[in-house]
mmCIF file of all heavy atoms in Angstrom:
data_model
loop_
_atom_site.group_PDB
_atom_site.id
_atom_site.type_symbol
_atom_site.label_atom_id
_atom_site.label_comp_id
_atom_site.label_asym_id
_atom_site.label_seq_id
_atom_site.Cartn_x
_atom_site.Cartn_y
_atom_site.Cartn_z
ATOM 1 N N VAL A 40 -25.284 -11.097 -5.358
ATOM 2 C CA VAL A 40 -25.922 -10.650 -4.131
ATOM 3 C C VAL A 40 -25.114 -11.191 -2.932
ATOM 4 O O VAL A 40 -24.882 -10.446 -1.956
ATOM 5 C CB VAL A 40 -27.373 -11.098 -4.095
ATOM 6 C CG1 VAL A 40 -27.946 -10.923 -2.695
ATOM 7 C CG2 VAL A 40 -28.206 -10.314 -5.097
ATOM 8 N N VAL A 41 -24.732 -12.428 -2.980
ATOM 9 C CA VAL A 41 -23.973 -13.068 -1.895
ATOM 10 C C VAL A 41 -22.596 -12.395 -1.718
ATOM 11 O O VAL A 41 -22.141 -12.114 -0.590
ATOM 12 C CB VAL A 41 -23.838 -14.591 -2.083
ATOM 13 C CG1 VAL A 41 -22.802 -15.186 -1.145
ATOM 14 C CG2 VAL A 41 -25.164 -15.264 -1.888
ATOM 15 N N SER A 42 -21.903 -12.147 -2.853
ATOM 16 C CA SER A 42 -20.582 -11.461 -2.729
ATOM 17 C C SER A 42 -20.774 -10.029 -2.230
ATOM 18 O O SER A 42 -19.927 -9.568 -1.443
ATOM 19 C CB SER A 42 -19.890 -11.498 -4.054
ATOM 20 O OG SER A 42 -20.533 -10.669 -5.003
ATOM 21 N N SER A 43 -21.821 -9.352 -2.617
ATOM 22 C CA SER A 43 -22.040 -8.008 -2.059
ATOM 23 C C SER A 43 -22.325 -7.995 -0.633
ATOM 24 O O SER A 43 -21.832 -7.175 0.183
ATOM 25 C CB SER A 43 -23.177 -7.334 -2.807
ATOM 26 O OG SER A 43 -22.806 -7.099 -4.137
ATOM 27 N N LEU A 44 -23.134 -8.932 -0.138
ATOM 28 C CA LEU A 44 -23.384 -9.087 1.317
ATOM 29 C C LEU A 44 -22.147 -9.374 2.115
ATOM 30 O O LEU A 44 -21.882 -8.844 3.140
ATOM 31 C CB LEU A 44 -24.524 -10.023 1.536
ATOM 32 C CG LEU A 44 -25.909 -9.646 1.115
ATOM 33 C CD1 LEU A 44 -26.925 -10.817 1.304
ATOM 34 C CD2 LEU A 44 -26.378 -8.370 1.863
ATOM 35 N N ALA A 45 -21.403 -10.308 1.547
ATOM 36 C CA ALA A 45 -20.056 -10.678 2.179
ATOM 37 C C ALA A 45 -19.203 -9.458 2.224
ATOM 38 O O ALA A 45 -18.489 -9.224 3.250
ATOM 39 C CB ALA A 45 -19.398 -11.823 1.460
ATOM 40 N N GLY A 46 -19.181 -8.657 1.162
ATOM 41 C CA GLY A 46 -18.360 -7.488 1.163
ATOM 42 C C GLY A 46 -18.781 -6.440 2.259
ATOM 43 O O GLY A 46 -17.961 -5.802 2.894
ATOM 44 N N LEU A 47 -20.089 -6.338 2.444
ATOM 45 C CA LEU A 47 -20.612 -5.409 3.450
ATOM 46 C C LEU A 47 -20.224 -5.876 4.873
ATOM 47 O O LEU A 47 -19.824 -5.063 5.738
ATOM 48 C CB LEU A 47 -22.128 -5.266 3.344
ATOM 49 C CG LEU A 47 -22.591 -4.493 2.152
ATOM 50 C CD1 LEU A 47 -24.127 -4.524 2.016
ATOM 51 C CD2 LEU A 47 -22.122 -3.038 2.153
ATOM 52 N N VAL A 48 -20.304 -7.219 5.083
ATOM 53 C CA VAL A 48 -19.927 -7.712 6.424
ATOM 54 C C VAL A 48 -18.393 -7.499 6.623
ATOM 55 O O VAL A 48 -17.972 -7.124 7.731
ATOM 56 C CB VAL A 48 -20.259 -9.239 6.507
ATOM 57 C CG1 VAL A 48 -19.627 -9.883 7.738
ATOM 58 C CG2 VAL A 48 -21.798 -9.377 6.549
ATOM 59 N N LEU A 49 -17.621 -7.808 5.592
ATOM 60 C CA LEU A 49 -16.163 -7.582 5.691
ATOM 61 C C LEU A 49 -15.765 -6.091 5.862
ATOM 62 O O LEU A 49 -14.826 -5.797 6.501
ATOM 63 C CB LEU A 49 -15.479 -8.205 4.483
ATOM 64 C CG LEU A 49 -15.324 -9.693 4.443
ATOM 65 C CD1 LEU A 49 -14.823 -10.173 3.117
ATOM 66 C CD2 LEU A 49 -14.440 -10.190 5.593
ATOM 67 N N LEU A 50 -16.587 -5.204 5.224
ATOM 68 C CA LEU A 50 -16.330 -3.789 5.380
ATOM 69 C C LEU A 50 -16.389 -3.365 6.832
ATOM 70 O O LEU A 50 -15.553 -2.624 7.320
ATOM 71 C CB LEU A 50 -17.275 -2.991 4.464
ATOM 72 C CG LEU A 50 -17.040 -1.577 4.204
ATOM 73 C CD1 LEU A 50 -15.673 -1.408 3.518
ATOM 74 C CD2 LEU A 50 -18.094 -1.006 3.390
ATOM 75 N N ARG A 51 -17.438 -3.840 7.498
ATOM 76 C CA ARG A 51 -17.622 -3.532 8.936
ATOM 77 C C ARG A 51 -16.458 -4.121 9.755
ATOM 78 O O ARG A 51 -15.867 -3.468 10.570
ATOM 79 C CB ARG A 51 -18.965 -4.056 9.406
ATOM 80 C CG ARG A 51 -19.173 -3.657 10.899
ATOM 81 C CD ARG A 51 -20.627 -4.121 11.285
ATOM 82 N NE ARG A 51 -20.930 -3.719 12.574
ATOM 83 C CZ ARG A 51 -20.637 -4.394 13.729
ATOM 84 N NH1 ARG A 51 -19.996 -5.534 13.656
ATOM 85 N NH2 ARG A 51 -20.987 -3.903 14.898
ATOM 86 N N ARG A 52 -16.130 -5.393 9.469
ATOM 87 C CA ARG A 52 -15.102 -6.077 10.268
ATOM 88 C C ARG A 52 -13.758 -5.408 10.018
ATOM 89 O O ARG A 52 -12.980 -5.206 11.023
ATOM 90 C CB ARG A 52 -15.052 -7.555 9.826
ATOM 91 C CG ARG A 52 -14.085 -8.330 10.693
ATOM 92 C CD ARG A 52 -13.792 -9.654 10.135
ATOM 93 N NE ARG A 52 -12.824 -9.517 9.068
ATOM 94 C CZ ARG A 52 -12.197 -10.491 8.513
ATOM 95 N NH1 ARG A 52 -12.463 -11.747 8.825
ATOM 96 N NH2 ARG A 52 -11.327 -10.273 7.549
ATOM 97 N N GLU A 53 -13.407 -5.083 8.809
ATOM 98 C CA GLU A 53 -12.074 -4.445 8.497
ATOM 99 C C GLU A 53 -12.002 -3.094 9.134
ATOM 100 O O GLU A 53 -10.953 -2.681 9.590
ATOM 101 C CB GLU A 53 -11.855 -4.381 7.006
ATOM 102 C CG GLU A 53 -11.581 -5.716 6.357
ATOM 103 C CD GLU A 53 -10.306 -6.353 6.786
ATOM 104 O OE1 GLU A 53 -9.326 -5.632 7.085
ATOM 105 O OE2 GLU A 53 -10.239 -7.608 6.852
ATOM 106 N N GLY A 54 -13.132 -2.355 9.139
ATOM 107 C CA GLY A 54 -13.099 -1.000 9.732
ATOM 108 C C GLY A 54 -12.861 -1.094 11.248
ATOM 109 O O GLY A 54 -12.085 -0.327 11.773
ATOM 110 N N ILE A 55 -13.545 -2.011 11.884
ATOM 111 C CA ILE A 55 -13.368 -2.199 13.369
ATOM 112 C C ILE A 55 -11.922 -2.651 13.669
ATOM 113 O O ILE A 55 -11.284 -2.198 14.568
ATOM 114 C CB ILE A 55 -14.424 -3.133 13.945
ATOM 115 C CG1 ILE A 55 -15.806 -2.480 13.853
ATOM 116 C CG2 ILE A 55 -14.116 -3.541 15.367
ATOM 117 C CD1 ILE A 55 -16.960 -3.391 14.194
ATOM 118 N N ARG A 56 -11.470 -3.635 12.900
ATOM 119 C CA ARG A 56 -10.111 -4.153 13.102
ATOM 120 C C ARG A 56 -9.081 -3.063 12.884
ATOM 121 O O ARG A 56 -8.083 -2.955 13.631
ATOM 122 C CB ARG A 56 -9.852 -5.342 12.198
ATOM 123 C CG ARG A 56 -8.457 -5.902 12.325
ATOM 124 C CD ARG A 56 -8.156 -6.899 11.319
ATOM 125 N NE ARG A 56 -8.929 -8.110 11.511
ATOM 126 C CZ ARG A 56 -8.953 -9.200 10.710
ATOM 127 N NH1 ARG A 56 -8.281 -9.160 9.600
ATOM 128 N NH2 ARG A 56 -9.665 -10.243 11.089
ATOM 129 N N GLY A 57 -9.248 -2.277 11.837
ATOM 130 C CA GLY A 57 -8.290 -1.218 11.571
ATOM 131 C C GLY A 57 -8.267 -0.134 12.656
ATOM 132 O O GLY A 57 -7.216 0.343 13.078
ATOM 133 N N TRP A 58 -9.415 0.219 13.168
ATOM 134 C CA TRP A 58 -9.475 1.205 14.198
ATOM 135 C C TRP A 58 -8.857 0.684 15.496
ATOM 136 O O TRP A 58 -8.103 1.446 16.156
ATOM 137 C CB TRP A 58 -10.939 1.617 14.454
ATOM 138 C CG TRP A 58 -11.077 2.607 15.604
ATOM 139 C CD1 TRP A 58 -11.653 2.401 16.795
ATOM 140 C CD2 TRP A 58 -10.639 3.948 15.628
ATOM 141 N NE1 TRP A 58 -11.520 3.523 17.557
ATOM 142 C CE2 TRP A 58 -10.978 4.479 16.816
ATOM 143 C CE3 TRP A 58 -10.065 4.738 14.656
ATOM 144 C CZ2 TRP A 58 -10.676 5.816 17.161
ATOM 145 C CZ3 TRP A 58 -9.747 6.051 15.003
ATOM 146 C CH2 TRP A 58 -10.103 6.593 16.196
#
Side-chain angles (χ1 to χ4, degrees):
V40 168
V41 167
S42 69
S43 293
L44 289 175
L47 290 174
V48 169
L49 285 172
L50 194 61
R51 182 177 187 272
R52 187 191 79 168
E53 289 294 328
I55 291 171
R56 178 186 290 175
W58 179 249

